[in-house]
Amino acid sequence: MTHFYLIRHAESVANTHPELVGGRSNHTPLSERGIAQARRLGRFVREHGIVYDSVLSSPAKRTLQTARHAFHRAKRDLVVLGMLQEISQGSAEGRPRIEVYTPGVLAEIGAKGRDFHFPGGESTRRVGGRMLQCLSRVADWSGDEATLMVVTHGTAIKSLVAELENRSQRWIYEAPMPNASLTHVEISGFSGIVHDYARDTQDD
């Protein structure tokens, strides 16, 4: 199996506005606190002896910045893959949560679970599927013994874990996923094992 360390990007400017629905927001940069988090992430990886072969990132500004502040190698040979992007929230993206999550929408989420999506957006089932497809393809060309750092997004990581472990939509919404955390998974074909979920790299 190929080892992947899935990293949620460090704190972005959008993360400082939790009252708004997030989503792709690929233009959003890291905050000053996020830059410091990314640098601590890099130190954590070095101090814990995690040796990796390559660094992958989604095309979002906040993931690219996280990778480049954390990993020296990413400054020269970073691999950018569109399939690692965050969930698209479609028509809800950037809107106040209090306006979006009406009783009717909450009831629809309860009924549809991981198949729910906003108009023009993605379901978490679809996100989990594309994440698994992406990592499976990477595993094919990387080899069984490869270890890769993958800088991506919170809901994308949780959707992948839900796909691998048959977790619920509620789990995806409620499970913690700190900025700059590590989730260690192994992927072989279209199956995988979650070894370490959302390990916080900031307070070790």
Side-chain angles (χ1 to χ4, degrees), residues 3-101:
H3 291 261
F4 293 92
Y5 285 90
L6 301 168
I7 299 162
R8 184 190 177 195
H9 61 82
E11 184 187 80
S12 70
V13 172
N15 291 150
T16 66
H17 295 281
E19 73 280 7
L20 302 179
V21 175
R24 290 276 171 90
S25 304
N26 284 352
H27 62 284
T28 302
L30 294 184
S31 65
E32 289 299 317
R33 182 172 181 235
I35 292 171
Q37 288 176 340
R39 291 171 177 165
R40 285 199 298 274
L41 164 67
R43 289 197 297 272
F44 178 95
V45 169
R46 291 191 299 273
E47 290 168 359
H48 285 75
I50 301 173
V51 179
Y52 57 92
D53 298 291
S54 188
V55 182
L56 285 60
S57 175
S58 94
K61 187 170 186 177
R62 59 195 183 277
T63 53
L64 296 172
Q65 287 182 318
T66 299
R68 288 167 178 151
H69 281 292
F71 306 116
H72 179 73
R73 180 178 297 179
K75 295 177 183 178
R76 63 179 187 273
D77 59 5
L78 181 65
V79 179
V80 180
L81 297 174
M83 291 177 76
L84 297 173
Q85 292 191 89
E86 181 60 296
I87 189 171
S88 169
Q89 297 284 26
S91 62
E93 206 157 287
R95 292 174 56 196
R97 290 180 181 275
I98 195 169
E99 294 179 6
V100 169
Y101 289 103

Side-chain angles (χ1 to χ4, degrees), residues 1-4 128-129 131-137 139-140 144 160-161 163-166 185-195:
M1 287 190 170
T2 305
H3 291 261
F4 293 92
M131 288 287 290
L132 181 55
Q133 183 180 37
C134 179
L135 297 186
S136 296
R137 289 177 179 175
D140 282 344
D144 287 344
L160 172 66
V161 173
E163 185 75 14
L164 294 174
E165 298 191 333
N166 195 29
V185 303
E186 282 185 293
I187 300 291
S188 179
F190 282 89
S191 63
I193 300 169
V194 181
H195 289 290

Side-chain angles (χ1 to χ4, degrees), residues 136-153:
S136 296
R137 289 177 179 175
V138 171
D140 282 344
W141 55 255
S142 297
D144 287 344
E145 301 304 317
T147 298
L148 301 104
M149 295 294 174
V150 182
V151 189
T152 179
H153 305 268

